[in-house]
Amino acid sequence: MGIDPGLTRCGVGAVEGAIGRPLTLLGADAVRTSPDDDLPQRLVAIERGIDAWLDLHRPDAVAVERVFAQHNLSTVMGTAQASGIALVCAARRGLPVALHTPSEAKAAITGSGRADKAQVGHMVARILRLDSPPKPADAADAVALAVCHIWRGGAQARVAQAQQDFARKVELARQARGR
Amino acid sequence: MGIDPGLTRCGVGAVEGAIGRPLTLLGADAVRTSPDDDLPQRLVAIERGIDAWLDLHRPDAVAVERVFAQHNLSTVMGTAQASGIALVCAARRGLPVALHTPSEAKAAITGSGRADKAQVGHMVARILRLDSPPKPADAADAVALAVCHIWRGGAQARVAQAQQDFARKVELARQARGR
């Protein structure tokens, strides 16, 4: 299952299959919350929505889009908070959780890490033999993450380990400098 | 109860009292996670730690430090994710949750929004009649948030409403522009 975290629309997509075999879309949608509600309530709604998807599809693994602080400062905090919820929802069930960058997902699906939303949607539809891309775009992105995760397989596990090792070094260096 | 979100040290502090009456410290500490663990596991550990504090102290309200994207880019994503967990832990119990900026907490405690950690710790100890500030500094910050929340009382509720209205306008404007 792939999760594209967001506060207003959190994309979720479940894909069945394995490397070298046809993949099947089990479902894709967005968990939506209203800007009219306050932040804690919106995060609780996202938690409930993701939990409902995990209950329904019982995935073997969950791939969550890695959020960066660099882009789109106005929404990045909400996106980061939603991604924290997604990671906890998966991890507290004991599911393996992988983080993929948007470029990794795009490159896996389209061959280019710089593909636009239309290209990603087009390739997601083609790979999964759909008449049209899942909607909204956040749902298509979540499906792309799920496909990326299946295809990257073992390579991803090694990349994740390297990223984790790097993050650990950064954190240890930060601690050594004082908070 | 105040929560100063962080991935390595998440400050928690419980304070009893009301405006115009002496305040009492019920407890303060930091929920710690190891940079050796992977991110999803660390977030689950933070969730468990916060839930344990909420179970123990059964607070009437929870004040969480508002995280900004602007400062300390290297750790801000982890801090934002931890803050999302803190908000969900409180909100899914139906507790009122308030967000205070670091400056609001410092100003409430010391009279200056630019006070340093030592000043905050000193004033926290003085207000709560402690021999020394709670340690680590994250615990003292969490206690400062709790005191700030009690003292700001109704004023805070109005400020939060205004902030929420503003955030809503920003989000609606963003949606109108397309994602």
Side-chain angles (χ1 to χ4, degrees):
Chain A
M1 189 169 128
I3 304 178
D4 179 24
L7 197 51
T8 302
R9 287 181 305 275
C10 180
V12 283
V15 176
E16 193 167 48
I19 307 180
R21 291 197 300 180
L23 304 181
T24 306
L25 182 65
L26 302 179
D29 202 351
V31 175
R32 294 159 198 270
T33 75
S34 166
D36 291 350
D37 293 333
D38 66 6
L39 176 62
Q41 292 309 324
R42 297 178 78 179
L43 294 171
V44 169
I46 287 168
E47 178 185 47
R48 286 191 189 139
I50 292 173
D51 271 333
W53 270 75
L54 292 170
D55 286 342
L56 182 64
H57 292 291
R58 304 261 162 208
D60 298 319
V62 176
V64 179
E65 186 171 297
R66 188 181 290 276
V67 183
F68 291 100
Q70 286 78 356
H71 69 283
N72 204 352
L73 270 183
S74 68
T75 58
V76 74
M77 302 313 290
T79 305
Q81 288 168 326
S83 85
I85 306 304
L87 296 172
V88 161
C89 285
R92 71 181 164 212
R93 289 169 187 243
L95 294 173
V97 187
L99 290 159
H100 299 281
T101 67
S103 323
E104 284 165 354
K106 287 175 185 174
I109 302 293
T110 72
S112 162
R114 292 171 159 200
D116 63 19
K117 289 218 173 276
Q119 283 176 277
V120 171
H122 176 79
M123 287 307 297
V124 161
R126 196 160 156 179
I127 290 160
L128 296 164
R129 304 171 309 285
L130 311 172
D131 294 332
S132 59
K135 287 189 179 160
D138 314 78
D141 286 346
V143 173
L145 279 162
V147 172
C148 165
H149 187 70
I150 291 169
W151 282 355
R152 287 170 68 99
Q156 162 59 24
R158 291 193 296 278
V159 171
Q161 187 59 50
Q163 284 170 334
Q164 191 179 318
D165 291 347
F166 176 73
R168 181 185 161 191
K169 277 178 198 158
V170 169
E171 183 105 17
L172 289 172
R174 189 180 67 76
Q175 290 188 312
R177 286 198 312 271
R179 194 196 169 182
Chain B
M1 190 170 126
I3 303 179
D4 178 25
L7 197 51
T8 302
R9 286 180 306 274
C10 180
V12 284
V15 176
E16 192 168 48
I19 308 180
R21 290 197 300 181
L23 303 181
T24 307
L25 181 66
L26 302 179
D29 202 351
V31 176
R32 295 158 197 272
T33 75
S34 166
D36 290 349
D37 293 334
D38 65 6
L39 177 62
Q41 292 309 326
R42 297 178 77 179
L43 293 171
V44 170
I46 287 169
E47 178 184 47
R48 286 192 188 137
I50 292 173
D51 272 333
W53 269 77
L54 292 169
D55 286 341
L56 183 64
H57 293 291
R58 305 261 162 209
D60 298 318
V62 176
V64 179
E65 186 170 297
R66 188 182 291 276
V67 184
F68 292 100
Q70 286 77 359
H71 68 285
N72 206 351
L73 270 184
S74 67
T75 58
V76 75
M77 302 313 290
T79 305
Q81 289 168 324
S83 85
I85 306 305
L87 295 172
V88 162
C89 285
R92 72 181 165 211
R93 290 171 187 241
L95 295 174
V97 187
L99 290 158
H100 299 281
T101 66
S103 323
E104 284 165 354
K106 287 175 184 175
I109 302 292
T110 71
S112 162
R114 295 171 158 200
D116 62 19
K117 289 217 173 277
Q119 282 175 277
V120 170
H122 176 80
M123 285 306 297
V124 161
R126 195 158 156 181
I127 291 161
L128 295 163
R129 303 170 310 283
L130 312 172
D131 292 333
S132 59
K135 285 186 179 162
D138 313 78
D141 287 345
V143 172
L145 279 162
V147 172
C148 165
H149 187 70
I150 292 170
W151 281 355
R152 286 170 67 99
Q156 162 59 23
R158 290 192 298 277
V159 170
Q161 188 58 50
Q163 286 170 334
Q164 191 178 318
D165 291 348
F166 177 73
R168 181 185 160 191
K169 277 179 200 159
V170 169
E171 184 105 17
L172 288 172
R174 190 181 65 77
Q175 289 189 313
R177 286 197 313 270
R179 193 192 173 189

